[in-house]
């Protein structure tokens, strides 16, 4: 006899809501009652960010979904453009944590006279930044920490394309909190990190990424987090560099 057969579906749903998306999918094969509970909106709403309705309301295109489970997986596989197309949003499939990419037009790019902003067939954004001449590279992306998932370790990534994949290997990256609201500035200073010798990796979407650094988002009370990529030592071999954006996602 099924030991869970006497449990009301609502009780099963409540139990599953304290697990994870993966656990919920696995439980669906236990029994028909578990399958019904595992697909309920109540369960999958618990796996979504608390502000997911607010976020998708800013999408540039209507977000259509048949259930919260469908929405979860749609956002895990297909980022949506939000805030007038200035950034994109998606979910980490593993845990429902929030991921954002800041588009090239919203980045602080020094020496903009060396760059063109143009459309790109493989970009989610309307425009990317393309380096058209030899020059120093100084790119900054930032985001408010209150937008990110709390109690989560994040990494920032420069998303780009360059024929020579390791062409940014000699660059320096910096990540730091700014506008920290607490009076204790010592902690803020300790969160700044600098790294060199970055390794580029190919992404599933066809672009290339370089990690710019990691940080821990506690309660979203750290003001903004900035990620910089700086290349001033070796300006050659970078012509044709295309920047799609800077992505902040859980590690």
């Amino acid at each position: 006899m099924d030991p869970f057969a006497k449990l009301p579906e609502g009780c099963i749903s409540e139990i599953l809501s304290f697990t994870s998306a993966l656990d919920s999918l696995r439980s669906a094969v236990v029994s028909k009652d578990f399958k019904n509970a595992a697909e309920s909106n109540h369960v999958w709403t618990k796996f979504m960010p608390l502000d997911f309705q607010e976020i998708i309301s800013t999408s540039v295109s209507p977000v259509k979904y048949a259930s919260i489970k469908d929405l979860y997986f749609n956002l895990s596989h297909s980022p949506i453009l939000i805030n007038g197309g200035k950034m994109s949003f998606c979910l980490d499939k593993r845990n429902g944590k929030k991921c954002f990419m800041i588009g090239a037009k919203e980045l602080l790019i020094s020496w903009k006279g060396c760059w063109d902003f143009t459309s790109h067939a493989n970009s989610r954004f309307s425009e990317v930044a393309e380096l058209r001449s030899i020059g120093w590279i100084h790119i900054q992306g930032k985001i408010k920490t209150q937008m990110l998932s709390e109690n989560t370790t994040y990494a920032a990534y420069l998303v780009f394309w360059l024929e020579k994949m390791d062409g940014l290997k000699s660059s320096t990256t910096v990540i730091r909190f700014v506008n920290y609201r607490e009076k204790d500035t010592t902690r803020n200073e300790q969160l700044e990190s600098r790294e060199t010798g970055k390794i580029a990796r190919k992404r599933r979407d066809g672009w290339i990424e370089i990690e710019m650094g990691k940080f821990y988002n506690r309660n979203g009370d750290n003001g903004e987090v900035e990620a910089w990529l700086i290349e001033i030592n070796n300006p050659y071999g970078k012509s044709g560099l295309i920047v799609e954006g800077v992505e902040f996602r859980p590690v």
Side-chain angles (χ1 to χ4, degrees), residues 103-118:
K105 285 286 287 184
E106 297 304 305
L107 302 178
L108 175 60
I109 301 179
S110 299
W111 301 286
K112 282 195 173 181
C114 299
W115 297 79
D116 287 330
F117 287 89
T118 182

Side-chain angles (χ1 to χ4, degrees), residues 9-55:
E9 184 178 312
C11 289
I12 299 175
S13 296
E14 190 64 27
I15 293 170
L16 292 179
S17 70
F18 288 97
T19 61
S20 67
L22 181 59
D23 290 332
S24 182
L25 291 173
R26 288 170 174 167
S27 70
V29 302
V30 173
S31 68
K32 181 179 179 181
D33 288 336
F34 261 80
K35 184 176 185 298
N36 292 337
E39 295 183 349
S40 70
N41 283 340
H42 173 75
V43 170
W44 286 91
T45 297
K46 290 295 186 73
F47 302 149
M48 298 287 287
L50 292 176
D51 58 349
F52 78 92
Q53 291 284 11
E54 179 182 350
I55 294 172

Side-chain angles (χ1 to χ4, degrees), residues 31 51 72 83 89 92 94 127 150 181 190 196 232:
S31 68
D51 58 349
Y72 184 98
N83 295 355
F89 166 75
D92 188 318
R94 303 166 300 170
E127 291 184 311
E150 296 181 358
R181 291 201 297 263
Q190 292 173 345
T196 57
I232 58 176

Side-chain angles (χ1 to χ4, degrees), residues 116-123 125-130 207 242:
D116 287 330
F117 287 89
T118 182
S119 60
H120 192 286
N122 294 332
S123 178
F125 299 106
S126 61
E127 291 184 311
V128 297
E130 182 173 2
W207 292 86
I242 299 173

Side-chain angles (χ1 to χ4, degrees), residues 131 133-137 162 164 166-168 170 231-239:
L131 184 64
S133 62
I134 295 174
W136 292 348
I137 299 173
L162 187 61
K164 188 178 179 182
D166 63 350
L168 296 179
S170 62
E231 174 59 279
I232 58 176
N233 297 316
N234 182 17
Y236 300 98
K238 311 296 191 298
S239 182

Side-chain angles (χ1 to χ4, degrees), residues 35-177:
K35 184 176 185 298
N36 292 337
E39 295 183 349
S40 70
N41 283 340
H42 173 75
V43 170
W44 286 91
T45 297
K46 290 295 186 73
F47 302 149
M48 298 287 287
L50 292 176
D51 58 349
F52 78 92
Q53 291 284 11
E54 179 182 350
I55 294 172
I56 65 175
S57 70
T58 68
S59 173
V60 298
S61 301
V63 179
K64 299 179 180 180
Y65 53 95
S67 66
I68 302 299
K69 178 184 175 182
D70 287 341
L71 178 61
Y72 184 98
F73 285 103
N74 288 344
L75 292 175
S76 298
H77 293 100
S78 302
I80 61 172
L81 292 179
I82 61 174
N83 295 355
K86 297 176 181 179
M87 64 174 63
S88 69
F89 166 75
C90 64
L91 294 178
D92 188 318
K93 183 180 178 180
R94 303 166 300 170
N95 47 37
K97 302 283 189 178
K98 294 183 281 188
C99 311
F100 293 94
M101 186 187 296
I102 314 301
K105 285 286 287 184
E106 297 304 305
L107 302 178
L108 175 60
I109 301 179
S110 299
W111 301 286
K112 282 195 173 181
C114 299
W115 297 79
D116 287 330
F117 287 89
T118 182
S119 60
H120 192 286
N122 294 332
S123 178
R124 67 188 68 178
F125 299 106
S126 61
E127 291 184 311
V128 297
E130 182 173 2
L131 184 64
R132 56 179 172 78
S133 62
I134 295 174
W136 292 348
I137 299 173
H138 199 171
I139 301 170
Q140 179 218 76
K142 63 181 179 179
I143 192 170
K144 294 179 180 178
T145 56
Q146 64 185 16
M147 296 179 64
L148 304 174
S149 297
E150 296 181 358
N151 301 312
T152 301
T153 300
Y154 274 86
Y157 301 85
L158 180 72
V159 181
F160 69 99
W161 175 258
L162 187 61
E163 196 66 34
K164 188 178 179 182
M165 192 168 170
D166 63 350
L168 296 179
K169 185 176 181 180
S170 62
S171 62
T172 298
T173 58
V174 180
I175 193 159
R176 63 177 183 173
F177 289 146

